[in-house]
Amino acid sequence: FDEKTALWSSVILMSSPYMWFFGTVALTYVPEAFFSVFFAYLCYRILKGEHGLIWASAVTLALAGGVRQTTAVLLFPLWLFSIRKVKPGKIITAAALIGIVTLLWFVPMVYSTGGFAQYRAITDEYWRYVLEHLSTKARGFDILGVVGSFI
């Protein structure tokens, strides 16, 4: 899209009651939206040949994972697609940068939860309470029909 479309999209986003609501609650949706859009913008510019932005995209991807871990997983294929024409040496270094920046938020987070065993216990409890009953592991592929009925 062109710059005019980007401008109007940002005006619509900033005037959206939905966005303002999520900005008033202590959830990660607004920062996640920022990092996702900014990351997509960087990937777009990399696709257009600005390969030097690979460093900014790597840091942004890692920080997005610090806001919401599933965001990094979701955006990683976009990063791989956008860097496919970048020199392999830069890609390897950028991947290492993602790892370093991720460790900069992951290690303190694990430490603040009481160590990796405690972090893993919390994650497992969350899985059992919220997600397990909706997984194909627990219900087989029948769950896909249930999820599809909500859409």
Side-chain angles (χ1 to χ4, degrees), residues 61-105:
L61 181 61
L63 291 176
V67 172
R68 191 166 183 170
Q69 292 147 353
T70 55
T71 302
V73 174
L74 179 70
L75 294 177
F76 189 70
L78 175 61
W79 189 70
L80 291 177
F81 178 77
S82 69
I83 64 170
R84 69 186 188 279
K85 294 182 181 177
V86 177
K87 293 179 182 176
K90 279 188 173 183
I91 293 172
I92 292 168
T93 307
L97 183 59
I98 290 171
I100 291 166
V101 174
T102 299
L103 286 174
L104 288 174
W105 63 256

Short mmCIF file of all heavy atoms in Angstrom, two decimals, residues 61-105:
data_model
loop_
_atom_site.label_atom_id
_atom_site.label_comp_id
_atom_site.label_asym_id
_atom_site.label_seq_id
_atom_site.Cartn_x
_atom_site.Cartn_y
_atom_site.Cartn_z
N LEU A 61 11.67 -8.44 16.68
CA LEU A 61 11.07 -9.76 16.83
C LEU A 61 11.31 -10.32 18.22
O LEU A 61 10.39 -10.85 18.86
CB LEU A 61 11.62 -10.72 15.77
CG LEU A 61 11.07 -12.15 15.78
CD1 LEU A 61 9.56 -12.15 15.55
CD2 LEU A 61 11.77 -12.99 14.73
N ALA A 62 12.53 -10.18 18.71
CA ALA A 62 12.85 -10.69 20.05
C ALA A 62 12.09 -9.92 21.13
O ALA A 62 11.59 -10.52 22.08
CB ALA A 62 14.35 -10.60 20.30
N LEU A 63 11.98 -8.61 20.98
CA LEU A 63 11.23 -7.81 21.97
C LEU A 63 9.73 -8.12 21.91
O LEU A 63 9.06 -8.12 22.94
CB LEU A 63 11.48 -6.32 21.75
CG LEU A 63 12.88 -5.84 22.08
CD1 LEU A 63 13.02 -4.36 21.73
CD2 LEU A 63 13.21 -6.09 23.54
N ALA A 64 9.22 -8.38 20.71
CA ALA A 64 7.81 -8.77 20.58
C ALA A 64 7.55 -10.06 21.35
O ALA A 64 6.50 -10.22 21.98
CB ALA A 64 7.43 -8.93 19.11
N GLY A 65 8.51 -10.97 21.31
CA GLY A 65 8.39 -12.20 22.08
C GLY A 65 8.40 -11.94 23.58
O GLY A 65 7.80 -12.68 24.35
N GLY A 66 9.06 -10.88 24.00
CA GLY A 66 9.07 -10.51 25.40
C GLY A 66 7.74 -9.96 25.87
O GLY A 66 7.38 -10.08 27.03
N VAL A 67 7.00 -9.34 24.96
CA VAL A 67 5.68 -8.82 25.29
C VAL A 67 4.67 -9.96 25.31
O VAL A 67 3.87 -10.08 26.23
CB VAL A 67 5.24 -7.73 24.28
CG1 VAL A 67 3.80 -7.32 24.48
CG2 VAL A 67 6.16 -6.52 24.39
N ARG A 68 4.72 -10.79 24.29
CA ARG A 68 3.83 -11.95 24.21
C ARG A 68 4.55 -13.01 23.38
O ARG A 68 4.79 -12.82 22.19
CB ARG A 68 2.51 -11.55 23.57
CG ARG A 68 1.47 -12.61 23.67
CD ARG A 68 0.11 -12.07 23.34
NE ARG A 68 -0.87 -13.12 23.52
CZ ARG A 68 -2.15 -12.93 23.50
NH1 ARG A 68 -2.62 -11.72 23.31
NH2 ARG A 68 -2.97 -13.93 23.67
N GLN A 69 4.88 -14.11 24.02
CA GLN A 69 5.75 -15.10 23.39
C GLN A 69 5.17 -15.68 22.10
O GLN A 69 5.90 -15.95 21.15
CB GLN A 69 6.09 -16.19 24.39
CG GLN A 69 6.97 -15.66 25.49
CD GLN A 69 6.74 -16.32 26.82
OE1 GLN A 69 5.82 -17.11 26.99
NE2 GLN A 69 7.57 -15.99 27.79
N THR A 70 3.87 -15.84 22.05
CA THR A 70 3.27 -16.41 20.84
C THR A 70 3.41 -15.48 19.64
O THR A 70 3.37 -15.94 18.50
CB THR A 70 1.78 -16.74 21.08
OG1 THR A 70 1.11 -15.56 21.54
CG2 THR A 70 1.61 -17.86 22.09
N THR A 71 3.58 -14.20 19.89
CA THR A 71 3.74 -13.25 18.79
C THR A 71 5.02 -13.54 18.01
O THR A 71 5.02 -13.51 16.78
CB THR A 71 3.76 -11.80 19.32
OG1 THR A 71 2.55 -11.57 20.01
CG2 THR A 71 3.90 -10.80 18.20
N ALA A 72 6.10 -13.82 18.72
CA ALA A 72 7.36 -14.14 18.04
C ALA A 72 7.21 -15.40 17.20
O ALA A 72 7.73 -15.46 16.07
CB ALA A 72 8.48 -14.30 19.06
N VAL A 73 6.51 -16.38 17.71
CA VAL A 73 6.30 -17.62 16.96
C VAL A 73 5.48 -17.33 15.70
O VAL A 73 5.77 -17.83 14.62
CB VAL A 73 5.61 -18.68 17.84
CG1 VAL A 73 5.25 -19.92 17.05
CG2 VAL A 73 6.50 -19.04 19.03
N LEU A 74 4.46 -16.51 15.84
CA LEU A 74 3.60 -16.18 14.72
C LEU A 74 4.33 -15.36 13.65
O LEU A 74 4.14 -15.57 12.45
CB LEU A 74 2.37 -15.40 15.22
CG LEU A 74 1.39 -14.94 14.16
CD1 LEU A 74 0.64 -16.14 13.58
CD2 LEU A 74 0.41 -13.94 14.74
N LEU A 75 5.18 -14.43 14.08
CA LEU A 75 5.85 -13.54 13.14
C LEU A 75 7.14 -14.11 12.54
O LEU A 75 7.64 -13.59 11.54
CB LEU A 75 6.16 -12.20 13.81
CG LEU A 75 4.96 -11.37 14.22
CD1 LEU A 75 5.41 -10.11 14.95
CD2 LEU A 75 4.11 -11.01 13.01
N PHE A 76 7.69 -15.15 13.14
CA PHE A 76 8.95 -15.70 12.67
C PHE A 76 8.92 -16.12 11.19
O PHE A 76 9.87 -15.83 10.45
CB PHE A 76 9.39 -16.86 13.57
CG PHE A 76 10.78 -17.35 13.28
CD1 PHE A 76 11.88 -16.56 13.60
CD2 PHE A 76 10.99 -18.57 12.67
CE1 PHE A 76 13.17 -17.00 13.33
CE2 PHE A 76 12.27 -19.02 12.40
CZ PHE A 76 13.36 -18.23 12.73
N PRO A 77 7.86 -16.79 10.72
CA PRO A 77 7.84 -17.12 9.28
C PRO A 77 7.88 -15.89 8.37
O PRO A 77 8.48 -15.94 7.30
CB PRO A 77 6.52 -17.90 9.10
CG PRO A 77 6.24 -18.45 10.46
CD PRO A 77 6.73 -17.42 11.43
N LEU A 78 7.26 -14.79 8.79
CA LEU A 78 7.33 -13.56 8.02
C LEU A 78 8.77 -13.07 7.94
O LEU A 78 9.23 -12.62 6.89
CB LEU A 78 6.44 -12.48 8.64
CG LEU A 78 6.51 -11.09 8.00
CD1 LEU A 78 6.07 -11.14 6.54
CD2 LEU A 78 5.67 -10.11 8.79
N TRP A 79 9.49 -13.17 9.05
CA TRP A 79 10.89 -12.76 9.06
C TRP A 79 11.70 -13.62 8.09
O TRP A 79 12.50 -13.10 7.31
CB TRP A 79 11.44 -12.85 10.49
CG TRP A 79 12.80 -12.26 10.64
CD1 TRP A 79 13.13 -10.93 10.57
CD2 TRP A 79 14.02 -12.95 10.89
NE1 TRP A 79 14.48 -10.77 10.77
CE2 TRP A 79 15.05 -12.00 10.97
CE3 TRP A 79 14.34 -14.29 11.07
CZ2 TRP A 79 16.37 -12.33 11.22
CZ3 TRP A 79 15.65 -14.62 11.31
CH2 TRP A 79 16.66 -13.65 11.38
N LEU A 80 11.49 -14.94 8.16
CA LEU A 80 12.22 -15.83 7.26
C LEU A 80 11.93 -15.49 5.80
O LEU A 80 12.84 -15.49 4.96
CB LEU A 80 11.87 -17.29 7.55
CG LEU A 80 12.37 -17.86 8.86
CD1 LEU A 80 11.87 -19.29 9.03
CD2 LEU A 80 13.89 -17.81 8.94
N PHE A 81 10.69 -15.20 5.50
CA PHE A 81 10.32 -14.84 4.13
C PHE A 81 10.99 -13.55 3.70
O PHE A 81 11.49 -13.44 2.58
CB PHE A 81 8.79 -14.72 4.01
CG PHE A 81 8.33 -14.31 2.65
CD1 PHE A 81 8.30 -15.22 1.61
CD2 PHE A 81 7.93 -13.00 2.41
CE1 PHE A 81 7.88 -14.83 0.34
CE2 PHE A 81 7.52 -12.61 1.15
CZ PHE A 81 7.49 -13.53 0.12
N SER A 82 11.02 -12.57 4.59
CA SER A 82 11.53 -11.26 4.21
C SER A 82 13.05 -11.22 4.07
O SER A 82 13.58 -10.37 3.36
CB SER A 82 11.08 -10.19 5.21
OG SER A 82 11.70 -10.36 6.45
N ILE A 83 13.74 -12.13 4.72
CA ILE A 83 15.22 -12.10 4.68
C ILE A 83 15.80 -13.09 3.67
O ILE A 83 17.02 -13.26 3.62
CB ILE A 83 15.83 -12.36 6.07
CG1 ILE A 83 15.48 -13.76 6.56
CG2 ILE A 83 15.40 -11.28 7.05
CD1 ILE A 83 16.24 -14.19 7.80
N ARG A 84 14.99 -13.68 2.87
CA ARG A 84 15.47 -14.75 1.99
C ARG A 84 16.52 -14.29 0.98
O ARG A 84 17.28 -15.10 0.49
CB ARG A 84 14.30 -15.42 1.29
CG ARG A 84 13.59 -14.59 0.28
CD ARG A 84 12.34 -15.28 -0.26
NE ARG A 84 11.75 -14.57 -1.36
CZ ARG A 84 10.96 -13.53 -1.25
NH1 ARG A 84 10.67 -13.05 -0.06
NH2 ARG A 84 10.46 -12.94 -2.32
N LYS A 85 16.61 -12.99 0.70
CA LYS A 85 17.61 -12.49 -0.25
C LYS A 85 18.79 -11.80 0.44
O LYS A 85 19.64 -11.24 -0.22
CB LYS A 85 16.95 -11.54 -1.24
CG LYS A 85 15.95 -12.24 -2.15
CD LYS A 85 15.35 -11.30 -3.15
CE LYS A 85 14.34 -12.06 -4.03
NZ LYS A 85 13.69 -11.16 -4.98
N VAL A 86 18.81 -11.85 1.76
CA VAL A 86 19.90 -11.25 2.53
C VAL A 86 21.07 -12.25 2.56
O VAL A 86 20.86 -13.47 2.53
CB VAL A 86 19.43 -10.92 3.97
CG1 VAL A 86 20.55 -10.37 4.81
CG2 VAL A 86 18.26 -9.94 3.92
N LYS A 87 22.28 -11.74 2.63
CA LYS A 87 23.46 -12.60 2.66
C LYS A 87 23.41 -13.54 3.86
O LYS A 87 23.02 -13.14 4.96
CB LYS A 87 24.73 -11.76 2.73
CG LYS A 87 24.99 -10.96 1.48
CD LYS A 87 26.24 -10.13 1.60
CE LYS A 87 26.44 -9.29 0.34
NZ LYS A 87 27.60 -8.40 0.46
N PRO A 88 23.81 -14.81 3.66
CA PRO A 88 23.74 -15.81 4.75
C PRO A 88 24.46 -15.40 6.03
O PRO A 88 23.98 -15.67 7.13
CB PRO A 88 24.37 -17.06 4.13
CG PRO A 88 24.18 -16.90 2.66
CD PRO A 88 24.26 -15.42 2.40
N GLY A 89 25.59 -14.73 5.90
CA GLY A 89 26.32 -14.30 7.10
C GLY A 89 25.51 -13.34 7.95
O GLY A 89 25.50 -13.42 9.18
N LYS A 90 24.80 -12.42 7.31
CA LYS A 90 23.95 -11.48 8.03
C LYS A 90 22.78 -12.21 8.70
O LYS A 90 22.38 -11.86 9.80
CB LYS A 90 23.40 -10.40 7.09
CG LYS A 90 24.35 -9.28 6.80
CD LYS A 90 23.63 -8.19 6.02
CE LYS A 90 24.51 -6.97 5.84
NZ LYS A 90 23.81 -5.90 5.14
N ILE A 91 22.24 -13.20 8.01
CA ILE A 91 21.11 -13.95 8.56
C ILE A 91 21.55 -14.69 9.83
O ILE A 91 20.83 -14.67 10.85
CB ILE A 91 20.54 -14.93 7.51
CG1 ILE A 91 19.90 -14.15 6.36
CG2 ILE A 91 19.52 -15.88 8.16
CD1 ILE A 91 19.47 -15.00 5.20
N ILE A 92 22.70 -15.33 9.78
CA ILE A 92 23.19 -16.08 10.95
C ILE A 92 23.45 -15.13 12.11
O ILE A 92 23.06 -15.40 13.26
CB ILE A 92 24.46 -16.88 10.57
CG1 ILE A 92 24.10 -17.99 9.60
CG2 ILE A 92 25.15 -17.43 11.82
CD1 ILE A 92 25.28 -18.67 8.94
N THR A 93 24.05 -13.99 11.83
CA THR A 93 24.32 -13.01 12.89
C THR A 93 23.01 -12.45 13.45
O THR A 93 22.87 -12.27 14.66
CB THR A 93 25.20 -11.86 12.35
OG1 THR A 93 26.37 -12.43 11.75
CG2 THR A 93 25.61 -10.93 13.46
N ALA A 94 22.04 -12.18 12.58
CA ALA A 94 20.75 -11.66 13.04
C ALA A 94 20.01 -12.70 13.88
O ALA A 94 19.37 -12.37 14.88
CB ALA A 94 19.89 -11.24 11.85
N ALA A 95 20.12 -13.97 13.50
CA ALA A 95 19.49 -15.04 14.29
C ALA A 95 20.14 -15.11 15.68
O ALA A 95 19.45 -15.30 16.69
CB ALA A 95 19.61 -16.37 13.56
N ALA A 96 21.45 -14.94 15.73
CA ALA A 96 22.14 -14.91 17.03
C ALA A 96 21.68 -13.70 17.85
O ALA A 96 21.50 -13.80 19.07
CB ALA A 96 23.65 -14.87 16.83
N LEU A 97 21.46 -12.57 17.18
CA LEU A 97 20.96 -11.38 17.87
C LEU A 97 19.57 -11.63 18.45
O LEU A 97 19.29 -11.20 19.58
CB LEU A 97 20.94 -10.20 16.89
CG LEU A 97 20.52 -8.85 17.44
CD1 LEU A 97 21.44 -8.40 18.58
CD2 LEU A 97 20.50 -7.81 16.32
N ILE A 98 18.73 -12.33 17.71
CA ILE A 98 17.41 -12.70 18.24
C ILE A 98 17.58 -13.52 19.51
O ILE A 98 16.90 -13.29 20.52
CB ILE A 98 16.58 -13.48 17.19
CG1 ILE A 98 16.17 -12.57 16.05
CG2 ILE A 98 15.34 -14.12 17.84
CD1 ILE A 98 15.53 -13.29 14.88
N GLY A 99 18.48 -14.48 19.47
CA GLY A 99 18.73 -15.32 20.64
C GLY A 99 19.23 -14.53 21.84
O GLY A 99 18.76 -14.70 22.97
N ILE A 100 20.15 -13.60 21.61
CA ILE A 100 20.72 -12.79 22.70
C ILE A 100 19.66 -11.89 23.32
O ILE A 100 19.51 -11.83 24.53
CB ILE A 100 21.93 -11.98 22.19
CG1 ILE A 100 23.09 -12.91 21.88
CG2 ILE A 100 22.34 -10.91 23.20
CD1 ILE A 100 24.20 -12.26 21.07
N VAL A 101 18.91 -11.18 22.47
CA VAL A 101 17.88 -10.27 22.99
C VAL A 101 16.78 -11.06 23.70
O VAL A 101 16.26 -10.63 24.74
CB VAL A 101 17.31 -9.37 21.87
CG1 VAL A 101 16.15 -8.53 22.37
CG2 VAL A 101 18.41 -8.47 21.31
N THR A 102 16.44 -12.23 23.18
CA THR A 102 15.45 -13.08 23.84
C THR A 102 15.94 -13.49 25.22
O THR A 102 15.18 -13.46 26.20
CB THR A 102 15.12 -14.31 22.98
OG1 THR A 102 14.57 -13.87 21.74
CG2 THR A 102 14.13 -15.23 23.68
N LEU A 103 17.20 -13.87 25.32
CA LEU A 103 17.75 -14.23 26.64
C LEU A 103 17.75 -13.06 27.60
O LEU A 103 17.59 -13.25 28.82
CB LEU A 103 19.17 -14.79 26.48
CG LEU A 103 19.27 -16.20 25.91
CD1 LEU A 103 20.73 -16.57 25.65
CD2 LEU A 103 18.60 -17.22 26.82
N LEU A 104 17.88 -11.84 27.08
CA LEU A 104 17.88 -10.65 27.94
C LEU A 104 16.55 -10.44 28.65
O LEU A 104 16.50 -9.84 29.72
CB LEU A 104 18.27 -9.41 27.15
CG LEU A 104 19.73 -9.32 26.74
CD1 LEU A 104 19.96 -8.11 25.84
CD2 LEU A 104 20.63 -9.25 27.98
N TRP A 105 15.44 -10.91 28.07
CA TRP A 105 14.17 -10.83 28.79
C TRP A 105 13.78 -12.17 29.41
O TRP A 105 13.12 -12.21 30.43
CB TRP A 105 13.03 -10.26 27.93
CG TRP A 105 12.64 -11.06 26.72
CD1 TRP A 105 12.96 -10.79 25.43
CD2 TRP A 105 11.82 -12.24 26.68
NE1 TRP A 105 12.42 -11.73 24.59
CE2 TRP A 105 11.70 -12.63 25.34
CE3 TRP A 105 11.16 -13.00 27.63
CZ2 TRP A 105 10.98 -13.74 24.93
CZ3 TRP A 105 10.44 -14.12 27.24
CH2 TRP A 105 10.35 -14.47 25.89
#
